[in-house]
Each structure stands twice: as structure tokens, then as C-alpha cells.
């Protein structure tokens, strides 16, 4: 059997297995193998698997898989952890980098406090309903506001809503948000592909911050408290209601390395 060298990183408790695939050595990994690596009982254990690969135009390319081993949409905390891993591989110069992900090109900077700022894609359409918001921040997100999210059964409510109309099998990530103040919210997220609550979600935090701004007329710089740590989202808006210059900031830390 093939031996794989891996590295484990986490961002606000959102954890990922990282693999350096610049030589193409691990191109043969199939969905079953990827899911086994992410399995918390029989593998390394992670919310997702990220491969770092070479790209002719950018510093690197980020290939992301959910913990079920399948292709996924963008992962914000995964992107920040990919930048930390790329830095440790020597791919990041002058504390800045530009890389390609599934939703397009991203830039990132490494702060002096060792946190990573990741620029997200522009958000051009936000759908508001009587009970929730829906928007795509690189991944699709359903946002609900509640007074006390600690009392919510995120696993079961999230799973039900994730498969319900209009999402069905393709699904959406389900976020439960509790405003603490105009510039501070708490968030809990059920992630599709992981099919469980995660300790943090970067694209979900981005979506929640935008929805909070629209719902409560807040500043454009929002602090978020997730189960696994703190994140920050800041953005600009244009006259046509496009959200641009969106930045997701938070920790991204090496945990351990090994071989499986």
C-alpha cells in the first residue's frame, strides 16, 4: 500500500489534512482513500483534505475535498490553512501569496500576529427570505438569526434543512447566528460534505457577517465567535449592492505531521 506523508493544520478548530502533491505522487488517491484519511476513527481525522499543487501562473493551487472524500466548493478556513502550509513549504514570499482555488483566484497576507487574512470572492447576490438569508461566498450558505444558538440542536436541525427544499441532495451549509452587538456575532454551522457540525466555517462566517450587515445595518467589520475560536470578516459594498474586497481573518496553525 502507498504511504502518504501528511501535515495537520487547524483554523479556529476547523481542521484539515494537508498533502504536498507538487510532484503528482498522490494523483491516484480516490474518494474512498480520501475519506479514510479524514475518518476520525480509522484515519488521521479532519474536516477536509487539501492538496497543494504547482500552478504556472500562481504561487500554488489548492485542491480541496470534504471529509466524505468528494470534490467540494471553497473552504475559507481551509484556504487560510493552505496558505500556512504553503508558507511552511517555502512557497510564500514577503508574507503575501496568490493562489488558485476551485472558486477562482485568492490573495492572502500573513499578519505580524501570525494570523492569516484571506481575500474571498465578491458576493453579487444575496437572497432574503422571511426566515433566513441565502448567499454564495464560494460555498452556498443558509443563514438564520436566533436569540440563543447554544440551545439549538445544530446536528439534527442542520441535517434536516441541508436536505430540505430547495437544497435537496446538492445541499447547503446551514448556519445559526446570534447577534451579540452590532459588530459581534456568535455562529454555529452544519457543513454539508462533513455532515456534522464543525467548530468553525470560514465561508459560513463570511456569509453570516454579510447577512448581519444587511439585517442590522452594522459596520462592515464584524467579529465572529465560533465554537473553535474567533474570526473576523471585513468588506466593502458598491452602489449595485455587490460585496467586494471581502477579507476573512483568523488563526491557522500547524498541529502535527505523520505518515499513513
Amino acid at each position: 500500500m502507498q504511504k502518504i506523508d501528511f501535515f495537520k493544520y487547524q483554523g479556529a478548530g476547523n481542521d484539515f489534512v494537508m498533502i504536498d502533491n507538487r510532484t503528482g505522487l498522490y494523483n491516484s488517491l480516490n474518494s474512498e482513500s480520501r475519506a479514510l484519511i479524514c475518518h476520525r476513527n480509522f484515519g488521521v481525522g479532519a474536516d477536509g483534505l487539501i492538496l497543494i499543487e504547482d500552478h504556472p501562473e500562481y504561487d500554488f493551487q489548492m485542491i480541496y475535498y470534504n471529509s466524505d472524500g468528494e470534490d467540494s466548493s471553497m473552504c475559507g478556513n481551509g484556504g487560510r490553512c493552505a496558505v500556512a502550509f504553503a508558507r511552511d513549504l517555502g512557497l510564500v514570499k514577503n508574507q503575501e501569496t496568490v493562489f488558485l482555488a476551485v472558486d477562482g483566484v485568492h490573495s492572502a497576507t500573513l499578519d505580524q500576529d501570525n494570523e492569516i487574512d484571506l481575500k474571498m470572492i465578491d458576493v453579487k447576490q444575496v437572497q432574503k427570505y422571511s426566515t433566513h438569508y441565502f448567499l454564495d461566498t464560494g460555498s452556498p450558505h443558509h443563514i438564520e438569526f436566533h436569540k440563543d444558538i447554544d440551545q439549538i440542536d445544530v446536528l439534527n436541525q442542520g441535517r434536516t434543512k441541508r436536505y430540505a427544499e430547495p437544497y435537496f441532495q446538492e445541499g447547503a451549509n446551514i448556519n445559526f447566528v446570534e447577534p451579540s452587538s452590532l459588530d459581534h456575532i456568535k455562529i454555529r454551522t452544519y457543513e454539508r460534505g462533513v455532515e456534522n457540525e464543525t467548530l468553525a466555517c470560514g465561508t459560513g462566517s463570511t456569509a453570516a457577517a454579510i447577512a448581519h450587515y444587511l439585517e442590522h445595518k452594522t459596520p462592515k467589520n464584524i467579529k465572529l465567535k465560533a465554537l473553535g475560536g474567533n474570526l473576523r470578516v471585513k468588506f466593502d459594498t458598491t452602489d449595485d449592492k455587490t460585496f467586494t474586497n471581502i477579507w476573512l481573518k483568523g488563526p491557522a496553525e500547524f498541529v502535527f505531521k505523520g505518515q499513513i
Side-chain angles (χ1 to χ4, degrees), residues 144-188:
E144 294 183 9
F145 290 99
H146 294 270
K147 292 183 178 180
D148 187 358
I149 59 174
D150 292 337
Q151 302 304 313
I152 293 177
D153 183 351
V154 173
L155 176 61
N156 289 306
Q157 285 198 37
R159 179 179 294 154
T160 298
K161 295 173 187 292
R162 174 254 192 271
Y163 285 106
E165 185 180 358
Y167 309 128
F168 299 119
Q169 189 61 37
E170 183 177 350
N173 301 285
I174 310 300
N175 302 269
F176 303 93
V177 178
E178 176 186 334
S180 301
S181 66
L182 282 180
D183 67 347
H184 196 175
I185 58 179
K186 293 172 62 177
I187 181 171
R188 296 177 67 184

Side-chain angles (χ1 to χ4, degrees), residues 27-253:
N27 287 344
S28 61
L29 286 176
N30 57 27
S31 60
E32 183 179 359
S33 298
R34 296 189 294 259
L36 178 61
I37 291 171
C38 292
H39 200 288
R40 295 195 182 277
N41 300 102
F42 300 106
V44 180
D47 292 327
L49 172 66
I50 296 174
L51 274 61
I52 298 297
E53 300 185 352
D54 282 328
H55 193 279
E57 298 180 41
Y58 306 105
D59 293 333
F60 64 93
Q61 182 170 3
M62 166 188 166
I63 309 297
Y64 179 67
Y65 300 98
N66 277 327
S67 62
D68 61 5
E70 299 297 333
D71 293 338
S72 180
S73 48
M74 181 56 182
C75 176
N77 287 328
R80 294 188 311 95
C81 286
V83 171
F85 183 41
R87 172 203 60 200
D88 295 343
L89 292 175
L91 301 177
V92 177
K93 310 299 181 184
N94 301 318
Q95 301 298 103
E96 296 182 353
T97 187
V98 179
F99 67 96
L100 183 66
V102 66
D103 63 339
V105 178
H106 292 264
S107 57
T109 60
L110 289 82
D111 291 349
Q112 292 182 347
D113 57 7
N114 209 32
E115 292 194 330
I116 291 176
D117 291 15
L118 176 67
K119 190 174 184 181
M120 309 295 286
I121 63 169
D122 291 351
V123 175
K124 298 181 179 180
Q125 187 177 25
V126 180
Q127 301 172 37
K128 181 179 180 179
Y129 299 90
S130 60
T131 57
H132 66 280
Y133 286 81
F134 179 83
L135 61 159
D136 194 315
T137 54
S139 291
H141 284 277
H142 171 113
I143 308 291
E144 294 183 9
F145 290 99
H146 294 270
K147 292 183 178 180
D148 187 358
I149 59 174
D150 292 337
Q151 302 304 313
I152 293 177
D153 183 351
V154 173
L155 176 61
N156 289 306
Q157 285 198 37
R159 179 179 294 154
T160 298
K161 295 173 187 292
R162 174 254 192 271
Y163 285 106
E165 185 180 358
Y167 309 128
F168 299 119
Q169 189 61 37
E170 183 177 350
N173 301 285
I174 310 300
N175 302 269
F176 303 93
V177 178
E178 176 186 334
S180 301
S181 66
L182 282 180
D183 67 347
H184 196 175
I185 58 179
K186 293 172 62 177
I187 181 171
R188 296 177 67 184
T189 302
Y190 178 95
E191 285 198 52
R192 66 173 189 172
V194 181
E195 304 309 333
N196 206 337
E197 181 176 11
T198 53
L199 295 184
C201 177
T203 55
S205 294
T206 303
I210 291 173
H212 183 51
Y213 166 80
L214 292 171
E215 182 75 6
H216 300 107
K217 311 305 179 189
T218 72
K220 300 174 184 177
N221 193 334
I222 309 296
K223 294 176 286 187
L224 300 99
K225 180 176 178 57
L227 292 179
N230 299 318
L231 298 167
R232 184 185 294 270
V233 176
K234 62 180 181 179
F235 50 83
D236 295 323
T237 55
T238 65
D239 292 340
D240 62 358
K241 305 301 183 182
T242 295
F243 291 84
T244 187
N245 198 29
I246 304 170
W247 289 87
L248 171 68
K249 177 178 180 177
E253 301 175 347

